[in-house]
C-alpha cells in the first residue's frame, strides 16, 4: 500500500543527521527539544519543486521534463501524552487547522492550549496547499518531535468510550523533521545563506558595465545607485565571451527603470556567472554592481595536500566546484540545469563522503529524486539513473552506518525495483522501452540499441543492493529472490557479453546477437564491482583501459569511473598524470571550477559550446569534482570495511608523490593520514582500522606488531584515538 512506502523519518530526522534549519553541520539532539514536524518526505519534495523550477533560459521559464510529485495537503498529527500537572502548550501551524484533545475540538485555531493532568491524545489536523502542512508544539514537557505520529488519511474515529482511536495503526508514521527548532524557523521560510561580495574589476564603456567577480560564483546581482528612466539588460557569463554575446548567452535579466533618485536593486533570481555585462537603454544609469553569494554553509572536513602543487590546486578547485553544486540538494550544475539528476548526485554523494560528510544533503537528495508512488517512469526518465539511485542508498549505509535509514526506506526501494522487474524483456534483460532514456555518457556515436551490457551490469548491482538491504530488514523471502535474480543476471553478463577474442565485455546485444564493439563503460565498472577475476582484470586493463584504440572518454562524469578502475588496479601513478593532464588542462584554459566536459583538442571559445549552442556547456558541474574522491579513497586509501567506519582500512599509495597529508571524515571524527617515502603517520577517531602498505625494508613502529603478508606487504591494527608513526621504505 502507498502509505507503507512513506516510512521515511530518517531522510530528514535527527537519526539521519538532521541539522539546524540554516546550517549544514551536525547538531546535538536536545532533551525535550520542540521542532517543526511534517509528513516524512514531503518537505524534500516541496523544496525540490521550488528549487528545480527556478531555472530560466534567456529569461524564459525552463521546468524539468519529468514527473514532479507534490506534498500531501491534508495532514493529521497526533501524540499520546501523560502529564502529572496541568501544562500549557504553544501551538504554531503552517496552514489552516483544528486542534482536538481526546477527540474534542477547540473553537477557532488556538495558539495556546492547557492540557489537564492525566493521559490524553492531542490531534492537530492541518490543511495547506501552498506549503507543507507542519506544526510546532512546545510546553514544559510536551514537544513536537519525531515521536509524534502523522497520517495523510482520515483513520480517526470516536469509539463508544468517547476516546479517539485508530482504525489501523500502520497508517500512522513517525513525523519528519529537520531541526527547525525555533518557532520563527518556519519550514516554508527556508532559505540558503547569503554573503555580500564585491566585484574584482569593473570596466565602463559608454554607459555599459562589464563586471568580473574573479571566479565562477552563484547568487543575486545587486545594482547600486540605480537611477533614471529606461531599461537595463544584464547578460550573465561563466566566461567573458558568453557575457559579451548578448544574443546567445544562456541567462539574462531585463529591468525596467523609472527612478527619480538613486536606489539599490536586488535581482529576484539567483544566477551562475563570473562576468556580468550590463547594458543601459534610455536614461537608466547604475553606479556599481555587487552580489549576494548564496550557499549552503557546509564545512570542509576532508583535506588533502601533497608534494605536487598542481594536484593541490586541482583538489582546491574540485572542492570549490562541489561547494557550488551543494545547495538545497546536490545538483548537476549551477548554470544549467540546476536540477537534481540521479547520476550526477550519485557521484556527489561519494565526493561528499571525502569532503563534507554532510548526511542531510544526501538524504534530502535521495528523497527528492524518488518522489512518490506509483512509479510511472525511471528516475529522471533515465534507466541508468534509476540504478545509480539504488547504489546511492547502499553507499549511504556503508559510509554512515545508518541502518534505520535503510529499514525505513526499504519499501520505497521495493516499489521502484518492482517497476524495473516489470520492464524486463522476454530474455529477462533491461532494454530501452518507449519513454526510457538510455544515457550512459555524452559520447559521439555511442550506440544505445538493444540490450546494452552497461545497463545489465548496473541492474545486477542494484539487485545485489536490494538483496543486502532486504537482509538488513529481515525480509528473508525477498532477500533470497533478489540474490538469485542478481546471480542470474551476473551469469548472463559473462555468458552473453564476455569475448575471449576481445578480452573484454562487448558493448551490447542486438536482436539476440552480441556486437563486436567494445567500450570502456561496463568493463571499468566490472573492475571496481569485483565482477572480474584477477586474470580478466589484467586483460581488461591492457586491452580496454590502456588501449587508445577504444573510444576515449571526454566527460569528467565517466573519467571518474575510468580513473577509479585504474586506481583499483594499482595504477595511481598513471592516474596522477591523467589528473594533471585532464583537470590541469581545464585550469590552463582559465577554469576556476571544473566543467561538464573537456576536450583538449578544442581551442578558445570552442570549449564553451555544447548541445549545438555556443555557450550551453556548464563550466561548473558537480561531476567535475571527482579528484576529491579519488585522492581520498585511492591515495590516502581510506574507506569503510563495515558500515559507519566500525572497521576501516587505510592503504596509502603515493603514486609518484614524495609526500601527502590529509583527513578523511567519518561519522564521529576524522582519519588522519600522512605518508612520505620513508614515514607513515596515522590516527583514527573511531572504529578499528587496518593499515596496509608496502615497504622495501622491514617497517618499524614503536610498541606495535606489524604483520608481514609476503611480497613486501605489511599490515597493522589502528586503534581509535591513538597516533602511530611507522618508519618504512617506499
Amino acid at each position: 500500500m502507498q502509505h507503507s512506502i512513506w516510512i521515511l523519518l530518517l531522510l530528514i530526522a535527527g537519526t539521519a543527521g538532521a541539522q539546524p534549519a540554516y546550517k549544514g553541520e551536525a547538531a546535538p539532539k536536545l532533551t525535550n527539544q520542540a521542532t517543526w514536524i511534517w509528513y516524512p518526505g514531503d518537505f524534500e519534495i516541496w523544496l525540490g519543486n521550488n528549487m528545480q523550477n527556478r531555472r530560466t533560459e534567456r529569461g524564459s521559464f525552463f521546468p524539468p521534463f519529468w514527473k514532479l510529485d507534490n506534498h500531501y495537503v491534508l495532514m493529521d498529527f497526533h501524540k499520546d501524552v501523560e502529564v502529572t500537572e496541568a501544562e500549557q502548550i504553544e501551538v504554531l501551524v503552517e496552514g489552516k487547522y483544528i486542534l482536538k484533545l481526546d477527540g474534542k475540538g477547540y473553537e477557532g485555531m488556538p495558539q495556546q492550549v492547557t492540557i489537564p493532568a492525566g493521559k490524553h491524545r492531542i490531534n492537530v489536523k492541518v490543511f495547506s496547499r501552498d506549503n507543507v502542512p507542519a506544526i510546532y508544539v512546545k510546553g514544559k514537557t510536551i514537544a513536537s518531535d519525531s515521536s509524534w505520529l502523522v497520517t495523510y488519511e482520515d483513520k480517526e474515529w470516536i469509539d463508544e468510550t468517547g476516546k479517539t482511536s485508530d482504525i489501523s495503526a500502520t497508517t500512522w508514521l513517525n513525523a519528519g523533521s529537520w531541526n527547525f527548532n525555533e518557532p520563527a524557523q518556519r519550514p516554508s521560510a527556508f532559505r540558503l545563506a547569503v554573503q555580500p561580495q564585491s566585484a574584482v574589476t569593473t570596466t565602463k564603456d559608454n554607459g555599459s558595465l562589464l563586471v568580473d567577480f574573479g571566479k565562477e560564483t552563484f547568487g543575486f546581482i545587486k545594482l547600486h545607485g540605480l537611477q533614471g528612466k529606461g531599461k537595463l539588460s544584464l547578460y550573465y557569463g561563466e566566461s567573458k565571451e558568453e557575457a559579451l554575446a548578448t544574443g546567445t548567452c544562456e541567462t539574462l535579466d531585463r529591468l525596467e527603470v523609472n527612478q527619480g533618485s538613486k536606489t539599490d536593486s536586488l535581482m529576484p533570481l539567483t544566477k551562475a556567472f563570473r562576468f556580468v555585462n550590463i547594458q543601459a537603454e534610455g536614461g537608466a544609469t547604475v553606479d556599481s554592481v555587487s552580489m549576494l553569494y548564496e550557499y549552503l554553509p557546509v564545512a570542509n572536513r576532508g583535506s588533502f595536500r601533497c608534494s605536487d602543487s598542481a594536484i593541490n590546486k586541482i583538489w582546491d578547485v574540485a572542492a570549490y566546484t562541489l561547494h557550488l553544486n551543494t545547495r538545497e540538494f546536490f545538483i548537476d550544475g549551477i548554470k544549467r540545469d540546476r536540477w537534481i539528476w540521479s547520476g550526477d548526485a550519485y557521484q556527489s554523494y561519494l565526493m561528499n563522503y571525502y569532503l563534507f560528510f554532510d548526511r542531510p544533503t544526501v538524504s534530502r537528495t535521495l528523497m527528492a529524486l524518488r518522489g512518490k508512488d506509483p512509479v510511472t517512469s525511471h528516475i529522471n526518465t533515465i534507466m541508468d539513473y534509476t540504478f545509480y539511485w539504488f547504489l546511492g542508498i547502499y553507499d549511504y549505509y556503508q559510509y554512515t552506518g545508518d541502518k534505520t535509514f535503510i529499514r525505513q526506506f526499504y519499501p520505497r526501494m521495493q516499489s521502484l525495483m518492482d517497476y524495473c522487474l516489470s520492464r524486463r524483456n522476454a530474455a529477462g534483460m533491461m532494454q530501452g522501452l518507449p519513454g526510457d532514456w538510455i544515457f550512459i555518457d555524452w559520447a559521439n556515436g555511442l550506440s544505445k540499441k538493444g540490450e546494452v551490457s552497461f545497463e545489465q551490469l548496473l541492474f545486477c548491482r542494484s539487485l545485489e543492493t536490494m538483496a543486502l538491504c532486504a537482509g538488513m530488514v529481515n525480509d528473508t523471502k525477498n532477500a533470497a529472490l533478489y540474490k538469485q535474480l542478481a546471480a542470474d543476471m551476473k551469469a548472463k553478463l559473462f555468458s552473453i557479453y564476455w569475448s575471449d577474442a576481445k578480452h573484454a565485455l562487448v558493448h551490447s546485444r542486438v536482436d539476440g546477437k552480441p556486437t563486436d564493439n567494445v567500450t570502456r563503460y561496463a568493463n571499468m565498472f566490472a573492475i571496481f564491482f569485483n565482477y572480474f577475476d584477477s586474470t580478466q582484470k589484467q586483460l581488461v586493463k591492457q586491452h580496454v583501459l590502456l588501449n587508445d584504440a577504444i573510444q576515449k572518454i571526454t566527460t569528467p562524469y565517466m573519467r571518474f569511473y575510468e580513473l577509479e578502475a585504474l586506481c583499483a588496479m594499482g595504477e595511481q601513478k598513471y592516474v596522477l598524470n591523467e589528473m594533471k593532464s585532464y583537470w590541469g588542462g581545464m585550469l590552463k584554459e582559465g577554469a576556476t571550477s571544473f566543467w561538464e566536459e573537456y576536450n583538449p583538442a578544442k581551442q578558445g571559445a570552442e570549449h564553451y559550446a555544447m548541445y549545438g549552442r555556443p555557450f550551453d556547456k556548464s563550466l561548473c558541474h558537480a561531476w567535475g569534482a571527482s579528484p576529491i574522491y579519488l585522492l581520498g579513497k585511492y591515495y590516502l586509501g581510506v574507506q569503510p570495511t563495515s558500515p559507519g567506519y566500525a572497521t576501516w582500512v587505510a592503504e596509502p599509495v603515493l603514486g609518484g608523490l614524495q609526500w601527502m597529508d590529509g583527513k578523511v571524515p567519518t561519522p564521529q571524527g576524522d582519519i588522519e593520514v600522512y605518508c612520505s617515502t620513508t614515514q607513515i603517520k596515522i590516527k583514527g577517531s573511531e572504529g578499528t582500522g587496518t593499515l596496509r602498505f608496502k615497504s622495501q625494508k622491514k617497517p618499524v613502529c614503536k610498541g606495535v606488531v606489524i604483520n608481514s603478508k609476503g611480497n613486501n606487504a605489511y599490515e597493522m591494527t589502528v586503534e581509535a584515538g591513538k597516533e602511530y608513526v611507522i618508519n618504512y621504505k617506499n
Side-chain angles (χ1 to χ4, degrees), residues 411-428:
R412 187 167 293 258
M413 298 176 70
Q414 279 190 298
S415 59
L416 184 58
M417 180 54 73
D418 287 345
Y419 175 81
C420 295
L421 292 171
S422 72
R423 294 174 72 81
R424 292 173 294 172
N425 64 17

Side-chain angles (χ1 to χ4, degrees), residues 4-15:
S4 68
I5 305 303
W6 277 89
I7 308 177
L8 300 172
L9 169 65
L10 264 295
L11 294 175
I12 41 183
T15 47

Side-chain angles (χ1 to χ4, degrees), residues 6 12 38-54 68-73 94 128-134 178 180 186-191 328-329 340 364 367-368 371-372:
W6 277 89
I12 41 183
W38 51 78
Y39 193 81
D42 272 12
F43 178 72
E44 278 89 349
I45 290 174
W46 173 84
L47 188 63
N49 288 345
N50 287 343
M51 189 204 73
Q52 293 187 101
N53 284 287
R54 293 188 197 130
L68 294 180
D69 293 318
N70 204 356
H71 63 271
Y72 293 117
V73 299
E94 295 252 71
S128 180
R129 182 173 56 190
D130 297 330
N131 303 319
V132 176
W178 188 28
F180 292 83
R186 292 178 177 267
S188 63
F190 174 77
R191 299 292 185 274
E328 297 94 334
F329 306 91
I340 312 169
R364 287 197 304 274
M367 181 66 256
K372 296 189 175 184

Side-chain angles (χ1 to χ4, degrees), residues 413-709:
M413 298 176 70
Q414 279 190 298
S415 59
L416 184 58
M417 180 54 73
D418 287 345
Y419 175 81
C420 295
L421 292 171
S422 72
R423 294 174 72 81
R424 292 173 294 172
N425 64 17
M429 311 281 274
M430 297 301 295
Q431 184 172 348
L433 297 176
D436 294 346
W437 178 3
I438 310 298
F439 173 58
I440 306 174
D441 191 21
W442 295 123
N444 293 330
L446 183 64
S447 173
K448 314 292 177 68
K449 294 181 180 179
E451 302 153 339
V452 180
S453 59
F454 181 67
E455 300 294 341
Q456 317 314 314
L457 182 139
L458 291 184
F459 182 40
C460 181
R461 192 63 163 182
S462 298
L463 287 164
E464 290 176 343
T465 299
M466 286 300 301
L468 289 166
C469 293
M472 292 180 209
V473 301
N474 299 317
D475 183 3
T476 54
K477 178 181 178 181
N478 281 309
L481 172 63
Y482 294 133
K483 185 176 181 180
Q484 185 60 54
L485 288 170
D488 292 346
M489 179 55 64
K490 191 172 181 180
K492 288 176 182 177
L493 269 172
F494 287 94
S495 65
I496 293 172
Y497 298 104
W498 180 262
S499 168
D500 288 329
K502 301 285 187 178
H503 311 293
L505 298 169
V506 297
H507 179 70
S508 59
R509 182 173 76 167
V510 180
D511 297 329
K513 182 179 179 180
T515 62
D516 291 329
N517 185 34
V518 173
T519 56
R520 298 172 186 265
Y521 306 106
N523 289 287
M524 59 200 192
F525 273 67
I527 285 177
F528 52 77
F529 282 178
N530 282 317
Y531 283 4
F532 290 145
D533 60 32
S534 57
T535 300
Q536 289 170 323
K537 285 182 178 179
Q538 292 298 328
L539 288 170
V540 166
K541 173 181 162 183
Q542 199 64 35
H543 294 276
V544 180
L545 298 182
L546 300 179
N547 183 359
D548 287 342
I550 303 297
Q551 184 177 2
K552 291 185 177 182
I553 291 171
T554 62
T555 61
Y557 178 51
M558 279 293 160
R559 290 287 278 181
F560 180 109
Y561 301 116
E562 181 181 31
L563 297 183
E564 178 171 15
L566 286 163
C567 284
M569 295 294 295
E571 292 291 335
Q572 276 84 343
K573 187 172 184 178
Y574 176 88
V575 170
L576 197 75
N577 290 328
E578 288 295 295
M579 280 196 281
K580 290 171 70 173
S581 173
Y582 189 77
W583 280 267
M586 284 186 260
L587 294 179
K588 289 177 182 177
E589 293 291 341
T592 60
S593 57
F594 287 130
W595 304 347
E596 182 177 13
E597 182 263 356
Y598 172 62
N599 186 341
K602 294 181 179 179
Q603 300 291 323
E606 290 177 345
H607 284 294
Y608 310 141
M610 205 167 181
Y611 312 116
R613 294 156 65 140
F615 300 105
D616 209 29
K617 182 183 296 180
S618 167
L619 300 190
C620 180
H621 223 67
W623 68 36
S626 55
I628 296 167
Y629 173 74
L630 297 172
L631 292 167
K633 184 175 181 181
Y634 291 104
Y635 289 80
L636 296 177
V638 176
Q639 60 179 306
T641 53
S642 60
Y645 284 90
T647 61
W648 50 271
V649 64
E651 299 182 70
V653 179
L654 287 166
L657 297 170
Q658 294 302 301
W659 62 268
M660 61 184 177
D661 187 12
K663 293 181 181 179
V664 172
T666 72
Q668 301 301 324
D670 301 326
I671 296 170
E672 302 174 33
V673 178
Y674 169 83
C675 181
S676 71
T677 57
T678 59
Q679 192 175 78
I680 298 172
K681 297 178 184 179
I682 188 165
K683 182 179 181 180
S685 59
E686 69 171 308
T688 300
T690 299
L691 174 65
R692 295 176 184 151
F693 60 98
K694 288 193 172 185
S695 178
Q696 301 303 313
K697 68 176 185 179
K698 185 177 179 179
V700 177
C701 181
K702 185 178 180 180
V704 174
V705 175
I706 302 177
N707 299 310
S708 173
K709 310 302 287 186

